Amino acid sequence: MTTEKSKMIAGELYNANDPELVADRLRARQVCHDINHARADSPGYLQDLVGRLVPGAPASAYITPPFHCDYGYNITLGEGAYFNFNCVVLDVAPVRIGARTLLGPGVQVYTASHPLSPQERAKGLEFGVPITIGEDVWIGGGAIVCPGVTIGDGAVIGAGSVVTRDVPARVFAAGNPCRVVRPLDALVV
């Protein structure tokens, strides 16, 4: 029998009010609460909490509180990945963030989506589409990354951008909707 959780992770329509998913979100909310109220002078404790929220998170990955997510277990972080203040990750589908990738303050990453049909939405069903953010990416403050997007290695996303489609590697992209502005030279400072 297929569970609502397995349908969610597979990107199929699922019922978010399923008791298992509700319990998972409550657990993530509690760990986020603990992260968001951790003392600034106890970085080891904060890293332990990040490890509870994001299984397999490397010790070099860092989340600056406050931070919010749906589940945590659908997030994969590379070495040195960094979240600045007020980031939100709706991780109903996998979110992969590469090594040394920097998310500015207020960056929002949304895998969650809803059917376009009002009749389908009325049934309370939703779905998610994975997001992949490569290595050495910098996403400026206030940017929004929409469901299904892939951002290539070394790309830079301008502050306030709304990323609705894939961004290739080693480009500067910005705007709403986000578009490639120019390629990045090998010796960008």
Side-chain angles (χ1 to χ4, degrees):
M1 184 167 134
T2 303
T3 67
E4 296 302 309
K5 183 174 183 174
S6 64
K7 288 192 275 187
M8 176 187 79
I9 292 171
E12 300 171 9
L13 286 173
Y14 72 95
N15 181 344
N17 292 320
D18 175 73
E20 180 182 20
L21 294 176
V22 170
D24 286 355
R25 283 194 308 277
L26 288 174
R27 182 199 74 68
R29 187 174 298 156
Q30 181 60 55
V31 178
C32 284
H33 176 273
D34 294 345
I35 287 170
N36 296 338
H37 292 86
R39 292 175 45 114
D41 62 355
S42 58
Y45 175 64
L46 178 61
Q47 287 310 102
D48 289 344
L49 291 170
V50 170
R52 281 183 40 212
L53 183 65
V54 180
S60 61
Y62 193 81
I63 294 174
T64 305
F67 174 80
H68 300 280
C69 69
D70 279 329
Y71 297 99
Y73 54 66
N74 282 328
I75 301 171
T76 302
L77 299 176
E79 292 287 337
Y82 175 75
F83 290 83
N84 210 319
F85 297 100
N86 292 314
C87 289
V88 174
V89 179
L90 301 185
D91 62 317
V92 304
V95 174
R96 292 174 188 86
I97 298 175
R100 300 167 306 280
T101 287
L102 310 173
L103 280 70
V107 169
Q108 300 179 45
V109 178
Y110 304 149
T111 66
S113 196
H114 301 275
L116 295 179
S117 160
Q119 293 81 9
E120 286 292 311
R121 286 195 309 275
K123 295 177 186 175
L125 300 177
E126 58 187 63
F127 65 97
V129 186
I131 291 174
T132 300
I133 301 171
E135 295 184 349
D136 302 302
V137 172
W138 174 23
I139 301 178
I144 298 172
V145 181
C146 292
V149 165
T150 295
I151 299 174
D153 293 345
V156 175
I157 307 298
S161 295
V162 179
V163 187
T164 60
R165 60 179 66 126
D166 292 354
V167 174
R170 299 214 38 82
V171 299
F172 172 65
N176 180 4
C178 187
R179 298 187 191 283
V180 173
V181 174
R182 67 179 176 87
L184 294 174
D185 300 325
L187 298 175
V188 173
V189 178

